[in-house]
DNA sequence: GTCTATAATTAGATAGAC
DNA sequence: GTCTATCTAATTATAGAC
């Protein structure tokens, strides 16, 4: 499938570093075929990203169905767990965001407008509710979300670096689960040991 | 200065996406001049990264001089503050790591061996000490450090995305300081509000 | 749909004048 | 040291056969 190869290539190399010839080589077809199907490199990139965010939206919608409560706390938990789940299973998501988020330009504007702003605003509404209820600290959403967002993605995004440093396969189910637990523990209660903790 | 332009280009575009012609254009010189000074694109990349990590090491050494205590806690605090300081002032650091950390290869191996493993091991020694002293939770260093590392870099690394989403200039001194405070608060005590907190 | 052939442009790198 | 000129290979994209 050309789109799978394109996702892998764009995730690893970024838009500028990717070539339609290399994408074609991954699938074992010729380079002009990529243009026949998608028109241009730019159009291929958009179709690829559309597919990725479509997958995220489907994943989040499936999780959100389980939440019937009108309260914000379960909504935030499901959104957060759902996102971490997705980020662990689809490291290309973090890779593409980390490539595109560093330079202003039409691709970033498009990503923000269509996909990222709605996602962050959904999170923001939950957080505002929970701050008002006195359950979450009074830290601006931009900071709170980037702390979570950065920590949630880094481990999976930089899987080859994790492997090189610690010999851990960050994309294995065991490591994913363990990292998710560690992150949520730190996000909820901090990394320091409290007097009330079990020794 | 060619090296400054190279750092900006490699940070924004990654190695594959960067061109020696574009780097030359940033400084207003011709493309062959880049080769005259550095020999090849690969050699230019290494010289650029050497300079960046050299700057980090100088920065950390200057901070560490202030720590005379043999205890681990002040050492960890200085290393952590020093790193965040540096990451905020040099967002290219995070950009380059996020480009190179996603694909196995000679550049990543070189980065890990020469610069990243020593840095992470230094952090690890402090953390092990503090875990033994019962001050830090019993979470593997790989997880603990990637939570911090990811959160610490994300905000500065994705400054254009932060701008696009929240209108905040992540690289301004005020935002840097506020984000650093927020991150340390969450890392130390979590994002949830405790009964003991002031209302 | 998938291929071969190829056009137009751009890449990294070298030679040689000043 | 910095330039112009240039080589070779690779890039996006199109035309046309099957």
């Amino acid at each position: 499938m050309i789109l799978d190869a394109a996702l892998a290539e764009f995730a690893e190399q970024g838009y500028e570093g990717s070539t339609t010839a290399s994408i074609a080589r991954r699938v074992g077809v010729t380079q002009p075929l990529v243009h026949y199907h998608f028109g241009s490199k730019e159009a291929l990139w958009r179709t690829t990203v559309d597919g990725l965010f479509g997958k995220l939206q489907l994943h989040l919608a499936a999780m959100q169905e389980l939440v019937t409560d009108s309260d914000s706390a379960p909504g935030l938990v499901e959104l957060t767990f759902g996102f971490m789940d997705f980020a662990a299973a689809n490291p290309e998501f973090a890779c593409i965001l980390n490539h595109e988020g560093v330079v202003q330009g039409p691709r970033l504007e498009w990503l923000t407008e269509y996909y990222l702003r709605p996602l962050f605003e959904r999170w923001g509404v939950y957080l505002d509710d929970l701050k008002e209820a006195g359950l979450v600290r009074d830290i601006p959403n931009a900071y709170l979300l980037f702390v979570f967002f950065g920590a949630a993605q880094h481990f999976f995004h930089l899987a080859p670096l994790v492997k090189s440093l610690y010999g851990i396969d960050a994309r294995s189910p065991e490591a994913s689960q363990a990292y998710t637990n560690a992150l949520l523990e730190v996000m909820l209660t901090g990394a320091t040991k409290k007097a009330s903790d079990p020794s």
Side-chain angles (χ1 to χ4, degrees), chain A:
Chain A
M1 193 61 181
I2 291 176
L3 276 176
D4 295 327
L7 180 59
E9 174 91 0
F10 287 132
E12 288 176 14
Q13 309 287 349
Y15 181 81
E16 303 291 350
S18 296
T19 72
T20 55
S22 168
I23 292 166
R25 227 175 292 126
R26 283 174 190 251
V27 212
V29 297
T30 56
Q31 178 258 340
L33 192 66
V34 176
H35 282 79
Y36 169 78
H37 281 296
F38 300 96
S40 71
K41 183 183 174 183
E42 173 102 18
L44 172 60
W45 184 85
R46 288 198 187 218
T47 309
T48 303
V49 174
D50 276 334
L52 185 62
F53 274 86
K55 206 171 159 189
L56 170 62
Q57 286 168 342
L58 279 178
H59 184 82
L60 292 180
M63 299 223 60
Q64 214 74 358
E65 270 180 18
L66 308 170
V67 182
T68 50
D69 209 319
S70 69
D71 196 20
S72 272
L76 177 68
V77 169
E78 285 303 307
L79 180 57
T80 305
F81 265 91
F83 177 79
M84 282 223 61
D85 234 40
F86 183 83
N90 302 86
E92 303 87 6
F93 180 85
C95 292
I96 286 179
L97 245 66
N98 278 283
H99 280 299
E100 298 302 330
V102 298
V103 200
Q104 278 157 310
R107 287 196 306 277
L108 178 56
E109 272 171 44
W110 177 79
L111 260 179
T112 309
E113 209 52 49
Y114 279 81
Y115 292 117
L116 296 177
R117 199 190 304 285
L119 180 64
F120 274 77
E121 256 173 31
R122 214 165 127 196
W123 247 312
V125 171
Y126 287 138
L127 283 174
D128 289 340
D129 269 13
L130 292 170
K131 280 184 207 164
E132 196 140 350
L135 293 169
V136 166
R137 281 179 196 275
D138 200 26
I139 298 173
N141 291 342
Y143 303 160
L144 220 39
L145 284 173
F146 268 79
V147 167
F148 167 72
F149 208 58
Q153 294 186 111
H154 216 52
F155 186 71
F156 308 112
H157 166 219
L158 297 184
L161 175 58
V162 173
K163 179 80 182 177
S164 178
L165 274 175
Y166 292 103
I168 297 174
D169 177 9
R171 287 162 189 175
S172 73
E174 301 78 34
S176 294
Q177 192 58 54
Y179 184 75
T180 301
N181 290 341
L183 170 56
L184 293 177
E185 186 177 342
V186 171
M187 287 296 296
L188 290 174
T189 65
T192 54
K193 206 158 184 176
K194 313 301 183 304
S196 58
D197 289 343
S199 66

